[in-house]
Amino acid sequence: MRCTGIDAFLHMLADAGVNHIFGNPGTTELPLSDALVDDGRFRYVLGLHEVAVMGMADGYAMASGSLGVVNVHISCGLGNSMGMLYNAYRSGTPLLVTAGQQDRRLVFEEPILSSDMVRVAEPWTKWAVQVQRIGDLPSAMRRAIQIALTPPTGPVFLSLPVDLQMEEAELDLTPQPPLDRRVRPPLEALRQAAELLAGAGNPAILVGSRVVEADAIDELVRVAETLGAPVIPESGTTHGRLGFPCRHPLYAGGLPLWSPEVRQRLEDYDELLVVGMDLLRQYVYHEPARAIPEHVRVIHLDEDPYQLGKNYPVEIGLVGDCKAGLAELDELISSAMSPEKQSIAQARMETLGAMHSERRDALLVEAASQRDVRPITALTLMDSLARVLPANAAVVEEAVTTTNTMFERLGALRRPDGFFGHRGWALGWGVGVAMGVRLAWPDRPVLSVLGDGAAMYGIQGLWTAAHERIPVTFVVCNNSQYQILKIGAAGMKLPGALDGRFVGLDLVDPQVDFVALARSLGVRATRVEDPEELSERVADSLAGDEPQLFDVPITRETPDRLNYG
Ligand SMILES: Cc1ncc(C[n+]2csc(CCOP(=O)(O)OP(=O)(O)O)c2C)c(N)n1
């Protein structure tokens, strides 16, 4: 087919099933903007800052399980988006990130904004390349799409010189049909793992985000029930997607943050089945550094071989698809378990289920006891939201000390696949991700729970919510500070922090006026100080068809530590 570079680019995206492009243009991206004028195949979603652009693409790709496509401006646009690219890389989100490059005839002179973007993007992408010849463009596109979508999935980067976008040539645009990338783990290794697990005295399961991404939650539930094993997600700082239903009796609450507490939590187990998870991404160094006790034998199933034995030696490493692996493992464990072991597992499940209910009841009692405290507490805020969260809601969390795994502990998330938490911790992610999730799931209400600190890194995204009428409910948990950093400083035993004194961690004088800010970007906004009113307004907003923001002042009192139950 005879066409320009940019037409070839769009043609191949459409063939790959892409219908959204998230972008913010400059001169070197104008051939794309211009080509989209008469192209009905794509919705171009403009963000007014690259943090929002990349965040939206990340949310869209995570929720849809398909390729997210991003187009940002040369050098500076890419630079602005790097924090979000880091998040996408850590989450393994399949993104095709593109930027225009300066005209190849000018580059040697070092024209405005030209630079070696491939070197910039390389560390946080699986593959980064500048296309130099138009004849290579179709092959570059096929490779980029396939690499992004092949496990371990992740972002890729293409730099496209502006003159190449406009150049015409005869090109073979034959698409690469999608590969079925699910690989079954080797049977022999599965048998050995099943033997070990069937004979375990006290097994537990650590679950990570890739279980959700492999659509393997049901399979994991079956394995957990067969073993009567508690299921523990990653700590609240890195748990990303929720790989196990939080209302299930075997849901045992997330790992703690610090290595001594993780050790203590895992001390009583003899076998750990780890599934679809990075073992282990910690937050602050603590002694003893080894979070997994020495006596615990680790069996790890993951599509990403790099994760197996990365930090802790594994007894058995199962490389392969979580869904296929868990289904086979369950059958093998069931037939390897003696009747005596089966009844022990059932009894254990009952005990763990009772403990689960007790923990939840205790949290509800605590929430009730705080209901009249003003300004409201983090728990009251989360409880007020939990009460009205629809069963099919998607939740995007970026308010670390407020959210604190409370939705999970309160049993508010009835569909675990709708949960999105941070895996990267470059802030500014929650505004855009929530919008991307809603674009991918137009029929599911989306709640974005944001820290006031986090919100300010991506707030320009609200303009897109208004412009595109993307109905997301944003709740800003406004403690006017970077509270997690105060807790972190105390955990590091820094002298000022132990004395309760901080520099650069308070967002006061002036406090940010989120209501005025949101309204200026076209989003309806209200400050809410009462829990009942919050529940009512959020319920209405989640059922509505426009974006809304609620600014909720909460207590500024900082706990010494975060209690992730
Ligand atoms: C882009 C970026 N800049 C700075 C940080 C460092 N940082 C981590 S947590 C945090 C504060 C978060 O504050 P907020 O969202 O209000 O949540 P809180 O800790 O108060 O619950 C900051 C500044 C970061 N992670 N990302």
Side-chain angles (χ1 to χ4, degrees):
M1 173 175 163
R2 188 154 187 91
C3 63
T4 62
I6 206 64
D7 287 338
F9 173 77
L10 290 172
H11 185 96
M12 294 189 82
L13 287 184
D15 269 354
V18 172
N19 49 28
H20 285 71
I21 298 175
F22 300 90
N24 183 274
T27 318
T28 43
E29 294 72 37
L30 288 179
L32 172 67
S33 306
D34 198 65
L36 289 171
V37 168
D38 285 323
D39 193 327
R41 294 171 297 181
F42 301 95
R43 180 170 181 182
Y44 181 84
V45 185
L46 172 66
L48 300 191
H49 188 284
E50 291 78 0
V51 164
V53 170
M54 193 76 89
M56 286 189 284
D58 192 355
Y60 179 83
M62 282 193 287
S64 66
S66 64
L67 188 72
V69 177
V70 175
N71 184 250
V72 289
H73 193 34
I74 176 173
S75 302
C76 55
L78 179 64
N80 280 349
S81 71
M82 286 305 283
M84 298 304 106
L85 184 61
Y86 177 83
N87 287 339
Y89 183 61
R90 283 296 174 202
S91 305
T93 310
L95 292 184
L96 169 56
V97 180
T98 58
Q101 178 56 284
Q102 268 286 12
D103 193 307
R104 287 166 293 177
R105 294 162 296 189
L106 259 188
V107 162
F108 192 72
E109 291 181 14
E110 301 182 1
I112 287 176
L113 279 172
S114 79
S115 74
D116 186 349
M117 291 190 285
V118 168
R119 272 177 61 200
V120 174
E122 232 158 19
W124 298 337
T125 50
K126 288 179 72 183
W127 188 62
V129 82
Q130 179 162 304
V131 184
Q132 299 288 13
R133 257 177 19 103
I134 188 148
D136 294 332
L137 182 62
S139 179
M141 287 293 289
R142 280 189 289 266
R143 270 200 236 174
I145 294 168
Q146 181 153 324
I147 292 171
L149 290 167
T150 300
T153 54
V156 296
F157 175 71
L158 285 185
S159 164
L160 302 172
V162 65
D163 56 316
L164 180 139
Q165 296 176 46
M166 294 186 283
E167 187 178 342
E168 236 185 61
E170 185 65 35
L171 298 170
D172 175 2
L173 303 182
T174 311
Q176 166 60 50
L179 302 176
D180 189 338
R181 308 167 198 90
R182 292 167 301 171
V183 176
R184 285 169 60 184
L187 187 56
E188 197 41 46
L190 282 168
R191 281 210 186 101
Q192 288 169 7
E195 284 292 321
L196 270 188
L197 288 164
N202 196 15
I205 299 174
L206 295 187
V207 56
S209 304
R210 285 183 290 278
V211 168
V212 188
E213 284 153 355
D215 183 28
I217 297 175
D218 291 347
E219 287 75 7
L220 182 61
V221 168
R222 283 204 288 281
V223 170
E225 288 175 356
T226 303
L227 287 170
V231 180
I232 307 170
E234 287 188 62
S235 79
T237 46
T238 52
H239 65 342
R241 309 290 299 276
L242 189 62
F244 198 75
C246 60
R247 296 159 80 95
H248 191 284
L250 290 171
Y251 178 84
L255 280 177
L257 291 190
W258 324 124
S259 60
E261 294 172 24
V262 176
R263 250 186 109 81
Q264 208 178 2
R265 178 84 190 275
L266 300 178
E267 196 65 47
D268 292 341
Y269 304 115
D270 56 349
E271 313 280 352
L272 264 189
L273 172 63
V274 181
V275 196
M277 166 178 162
D278 299 357
L279 192 70
L280 194 62
R281 298 191 57 226
Q282 297 197 54
Y283 171 42
V284 175
Y285 180 81
H286 280 275
E287 302 274 1
R290 195 185 206 282
I292 310 292
E294 289 76 358
H295 69 268
V296 175
R297 290 195 290 192
V298 175
I299 297 161
H300 193 154
L301 164 63
D302 215 305
E303 64 186 24
D304 181 1
Y306 176 63
Q307 299 302 335
L308 306 184
K310 186 174 78 176
N311 295 315
Y312 298 97
V314 294
E315 192 77 15
I316 300 174
L318 300 165
V319 183
D321 177 58
C322 291
K323 192 176 178 77
L326 286 168
E328 291 192 52
L329 202 53
D330 185 49
E331 280 177 25
L332 292 166
I333 297 171
S334 301
S335 48
M337 259 171 113
S338 65
E340 192 201 344
K341 282 282 185 198
Q342 285 173 10
S343 54
I344 292 174
Q346 286 319 300
R348 198 164 43 216
M349 179 147 88
E350 275 162 36
T351 312
L352 289 166
M355 286 163 64
H356 178 143
S357 308
E358 266 171 38
R359 275 197 312 272
R360 181 155 18 134
D361 292 347
L363 190 59
L364 289 168
V365 169
E366 196 184 337
S369 75
Q370 295 181 9
R371 196 98 184 133
D372 297 328
V373 176
R374 297 290 182 276
I376 66 172
T377 64
L379 177 54
T380 302
L381 185 151
M382 294 304 289
D383 180 42
S384 306
L385 301 177
R387 287 167 189 234
V388 294
L389 202 61
N392 65 342
V395 172
V396 177
E397 284 190 355
E398 193 182 36
V400 59
T401 64
T402 303
T403 52
N404 196 11
T405 69
M406 281 196 218
F407 274 165
E408 293 94 306
R409 289 190 273 154
L410 289 164
L413 303 163
R414 273 167 284 170
R415 280 186 54 182
D417 68 330
F419 182 80
F420 299 82
H422 251 291
R423 281 173 272 182
W425 280 106
L427 295 179
W429 173 89
V431 174
V433 166
M435 293 190 288
V437 169
R438 181 73 201 223
L439 288 171
W441 291 341
D443 299 328
R444 292 177 74 168
V446 178
L447 174 67
S448 175
V449 188
L450 305 164
D452 52 326
M456 286 306 295
Y457 296 95
I459 202 74
Q460 295 94 329
L462 292 181
W463 178 86
T464 307
H467 180 71
E468 296 278 339
R469 280 188 79 84
I470 305 172
V472 169
T473 301
F474 300 95
V475 172
V476 178
C477 312
N478 193 345
N479 58 18
S480 313
Q481 60 186 319
Y482 293 155
Q483 182 158 261
I484 185 67
L485 300 186
K486 294 185 178 178
I487 296 171
M492 290 158 75
K493 308 223 176 332
L494 297 172
L498 293 177
D499 222 14
R501 294 182 304 135
F502 303 95
V503 167
L505 305 186
D506 289 289
L507 310 190
V508 294
D509 300 325
Q511 292 195 357
V512 177
D513 184 344
F514 281 96
V515 171
L517 193 50
R519 286 180 185 161
S520 76
L521 294 165
V523 169
R524 242 174 90 189
T526 318
R527 190 165 167 96
V528 185
E529 298 178 19
D530 175 74
E532 299 298 330
E533 184 188 344
L534 180 63
S535 296
E536 278 168 31
R537 283 186 181 273
V538 166
D540 279 354
S541 173
L542 288 171
D545 61 0
E546 62 170 335
Q548 276 201 66
L549 180 141
F550 300 103
D551 174 26
V552 187
I554 56 173
T555 175
R556 303 195 74 236
E557 233 170 87
T558 300
D560 300 336
R561 58 191 293 285
L562 277 184
N563 176 22
Y564 283 96

